[in-house]
Amino acid sequence: MSGVNFFGIRHLSPAGAFYLRKFLDNLKPETVIIEAPSDFEDVLNDITRAETKPPFAILAYTKSVPVRTILYPFAEYSPEYQAILWCKENGVKVRFMDLPSETFLALERAESEDSDDEEYEDEIEETDEFEEEFEMSELSVYDKLDILSGEDSHETFWERTLEHCADAESYHEGANLFGAKIREYSSKDEHDFAELQLREIHMRKIIREVAESGIAAEKIAVVTGSYHVEGLKTWAETEKLPEFPKTECLHTLMPYSYYRLSTRSGYGAGNKAPAYYELIWEGLNRNDSLFTANAYLTKIAEFQRQKGNAASSAQVIEAVRLAKSLAELRGGGMPVLRDLRDAAQTCIGDGSFAAVSIATADTEIGTKIGELPEGVSRTSIQDDFYRGLKDLKLEKYLSATAQDLSLDLRENRRASSEKSAFLDLNRSFFLHKLRVLNIPFVQYRQSDQDNATWREEWSLVWTPEAEITLVESALKGDTVELAAAFALKERVEQAQNMSEVAAAIEDAFFCGMGSAATYAASALQAMAVDAVSFEELAKTSFRLSNSITYGDIRKADCEPIKPLLEQLYLRACLILPNSCVCDDEASQSIAGAMDTLNSVELAQDFLDTENWLRALWEVAGRDDLNTKLSGFAAAVLLERNQMTNEQLKIEVSRRLSLGTPADLGAGWFEGLTMKNRYALIARQSLWESLDEYVQSLDDEEFKRALVFLRRAFADFSPAEKDSIAENLGEVWGLNGAEVSEILNAELDSASQEQIDALGDFDFDF
């Protein structure tokens, strides 16, 4: 590669970007070759549009399932991005030279398939064991660099040595030398090194093509990671490019965030502090060597003051002085992030890093998100998504900071147009479609207001993962609505039970998609002919009931699903009694299902109430069922004012009589107390009956009953226990406060031992 100009850079290096532009100004090349996937050249025009604001990323994704993706992100201070802008400004041709994304994605697929092979996994395990032993005795080249440099990390070494270079020549030579030495002393990991070799073969091929096209070598500039410079300078005449695997893929641009550019997010090629590095970029462009230090420490102080913490100008001035002194002590000319952090901790945090930790995170990482203009190379679903955000006035929620959104689904009668009148309702439809697609941009929360069917609470936060998931959804449909309809159809087809189909119906109504709800209802009708459990019927009925309850406010036609709910509700009523022949473990879920079906019946006035009450009376009255569920059925009847005090007293006398085994009686009482406790507490006759029952037990029966009664009262609140104590005080003719004090007092050691011993009590089981 004699005569070709190589400029080694580090990804996200502001000094690299700044001095690369100076280098290109002086060189005036005719072609600039940049290390980036070679098939990304189709997005060059969109990258250089004035409306495109970094950070952004080029996303490549496969056209087949499962979708695989690779990202190539840019910040304003990315050397590659500035090289592209320089070429656009100067009318110079740009070439990308790395392996195409279709090959990267194919290699990724091959690695994934290999990892599923058992023999390969065994080989990896052996390799891992060897590497663990190796790592104990050998340090990586970066570990050695950290030790020799005396810095806290090689990132600090890079910043101190190269980011604060005084001129382009120093950076150029220093970066190239750094890459050459790292390459020389790096271990040749078999897998990674093999891929590097493939990449460099392809990059040399592109450079050779440009050189052989008639352009003088001196007029070719190659911008690449400093590690690759030495590997790209020469090639053998006999070198042949191997056949690379390929997989069909597409490209799109997407906004990115500073957080995702940071190493804190797991991005290996990132830096620790994207927002801080922007300050370095700004300082270089201002030609102000102390701008970064002044701006960083000023922002720390501003953040502290905004949060109500003291931070004076004098502290900032002292911090700048200290940072400069620390830089000199550590052998540098200008303060780096390590020096500035230490200075902020000492002068603004009064020696405590915890005092400024949040401020440093905000100043160093930042919350900046890129912007893309309309018409950039996006998938159709991305275009539809951003159109939806604009139409529904949700663009301000494209933020890396979570924001709450409260929606009122009712018609705004004061609005000037129908669109404005139903703005929040249409927002709800849109956000629910995104939820159905599992786009992590949205998080739905039920309203805190009871029965507020017209209110919804959402939390919105934008992340690059949201954009990637959106792109993956392009395989389901060209618009958000079509993709959501496909996702609901998939859920219905893959559903394992009726409640899953009912959940799809509910989501279809939430999305305002009546046709999807009709399709799911037909599938549910077909499943309803099979035998299912009471719990499944109750859960499914609740989902359908929810859809009907929310139907009016969402302008949905719910009439077709009412007969289906009636059918499922009737079946649940008929099978409830026999479902209560179960053990204590199963009784908990059945009690929950009974409560659910009761709420459904109360919510829907077209359901036959008598069927439900008849089932409850049967469960409450039968002796051959789980007594806890009989007690719970009685509690539901009491809550609905269907059981009188006299009927309750008769039932208590029967259930808590001497002829009833203590565990069954106590189990019934536990079921009774599972619902509407305050109403039960107010029924003095209940406590009189309970007192008579306990008084009638002999010692062994009392021990048996005590275990179950303690379980029944275990989760009563202190206030509820006080009210019970007052009732018992009346029964015993004592002061209620005194009884409460005795009942709530801590047990002495002897009493506690007796209680603990009940755990080993022989129940003849």
Side-chain angles (χ1 to χ4, degrees), residues 420-621:
S420 299
F422 293 102
L423 176 63
D424 275 5
L425 178 60
N426 289 320
R427 282 175 164 181
S428 173
F429 290 153
F430 180 71
L431 296 178
H432 275 292
K433 289 167 189 170
L434 297 178
R435 179 180 61 81
V436 164
L437 290 171
N438 294 316
I439 308 295
F441 172 57
V442 300
Q443 183 177 354
Y444 176 55
R445 303 194 309 269
Q446 293 287 352
S447 171
D448 294 333
Q449 299 184 28
D450 292 338
N451 300 320
T453 59
W454 49 270
R455 179 174 293 279
E456 285 184 351
E457 304 294 338
W458 294 83
S459 178
L460 308 182
V461 57
W462 188 92
T463 63
E465 286 78 10
E467 190 93 20
I468 293 171
T469 310
L470 188 66
V471 170
E472 291 173 351
S473 298
L475 297 178
K476 299 177 181 177
D478 290 335
T479 66
V480 171
E481 181 165 346
L482 288 174
F486 184 87
L488 288 171
K489 183 174 180 289
E490 273 190 324
R491 279 171 55 183
V492 171
E493 292 172 348
Q494 297 169 9
Q496 299 297 309
N497 51 57
M498 290 199 307
S499 62
E500 291 180 6
V501 179
I505 294 174
E506 185 179 14
D507 280 341
F509 280 122
F510 281 170
C511 295
M513 298 165 60
S515 57
T518 302
Y519 173 81
S522 299
L524 183 58
Q525 183 75 52
M527 295 178 73
V529 299
D530 297 326
V532 290
S533 67
F534 174 76
E535 297 99 306
E536 186 68 22
L537 287 168
K539 192 187 299 184
T540 305
S541 297
F542 179 76
R543 293 284 192 183
L544 295 179
S545 176
N546 248 10
S547 299
I548 295 169
T549 300
Y550 284 85
D552 289 343
I553 197 71
R554 295 179 179 280
K555 311 300 179 188
D557 179 14
C558 299
E559 290 303 317
I561 67 171
K562 287 183 178 180
L564 184 54
L565 175 57
E566 286 180 307
Q567 176 187 344
L568 299 178
Y569 164 78
L570 177 59
R571 283 184 63 187
C573 292
L574 293 175
I575 71 170
L576 171 60
N578 288 338
S579 299
C580 294
V581 181
C582 62
D583 58 20
D584 277 348
E585 185 177 351
S587 69
Q588 201 67 31
S589 64
I590 292 177
M594 290 170 65
D595 198 31
T596 297
L597 196 64
N598 185 59
S599 68
V600 169
E601 192 282 324
L602 290 170
Q604 308 302 336
D605 55 10
F606 62 87
L607 297 177
D608 189 340
T609 303
E610 288 305 313
N611 286 327
W612 177 234
L613 295 179
R614 191 180 303 114
L616 288 174
W617 275 113
E618 183 175 349
V619 174

Side-chain angles (χ1 to χ4, degrees), residues 138-329:
E138 294 289 338
L139 296 172
S140 73
V141 64
Y142 289 105
D143 291 331
K144 292 176 181 177
L145 176 60
D146 293 346
I147 293 170
L148 292 172
S149 69
E151 297 288 5
D152 58 347
S153 70
H154 51 273
E155 236 184 86
T156 301
F157 172 81
W158 172 277
E159 184 191 350
R160 197 181 300 280
T161 307
L162 289 163
E163 293 300 336
H164 297 285
C165 280
D167 54 69
E169 185 178 352
S170 298
Y171 184 95
H172 185 195
E173 292 181 2
N176 285 2
L177 178 62
F178 180 87
K181 292 302 179 183
I182 291 294
R183 185 184 186 95
E184 179 181 348
Y185 292 108
S186 293
S187 62
K188 303 297 187 288
D189 177 83
E190 184 175 345
H191 172 72
D192 291 343
F193 188 66
E195 184 174 305
L196 282 172
Q197 287 182 310
L198 290 176
R199 291 176 59 200
E200 290 185 354
I201 289 173
H202 190 272
M203 288 192 277
R204 288 193 292 265
K205 170 182 174 290
I206 299 297
I207 298 170
R208 184 164 52 185
E209 285 179 0
V210 174
E212 292 174 352
S213 68
I215 298 175
E218 294 77 12
K219 291 298 180 179
I220 299 172
V222 177
V223 180
T224 184
S226 58
Y227 180 92
H228 295 297
V229 171
E230 291 302 314
L232 299 182
K233 283 185 175 180
T234 59
W235 71 75
E237 291 297 329
T238 58
E239 181 175 81
K240 293 182 180 180
L241 191 66
E243 284 292 327
F244 291 114
K246 296 180 181 180
T247 186
E248 194 172 5
C249 68
L250 298 171
H251 309 137
T252 181
L253 287 184
M254 57 177 278
Y256 218 62
S257 69
Y258 268 179
Y259 175 74
R260 290 299 165 187
L261 281 176
S262 71
T263 51
R264 185 172 298 189
S265 72
Y267 176 46
N271 56 48
K272 291 188 296 186
Y276 165 75
Y277 272 62
E278 184 181 315
L279 296 179
I280 297 178
W281 168 252
E282 190 173 348
L284 288 165
N285 282 280
R286 288 169 176 258
N287 196 26
D288 183 348
S289 60
L290 273 179
F291 173 83
T292 303
N294 291 331
Y296 175 88
L297 292 166
T298 299
K299 285 178 178 291
I300 295 285
E302 286 177 356
F303 186 94
Q304 291 292 86
R305 287 194 290 268
Q306 288 171 3
K307 299 302 179 181
N309 301 314
S312 66
S313 299
Q315 287 175 302
V316 174
I317 293 170
E318 285 303 312
V320 172
R321 289 175 178 167
L322 177 58
K324 291 169 65 179
S325 299
L326 289 172
E328 291 173 4
L329 286 171

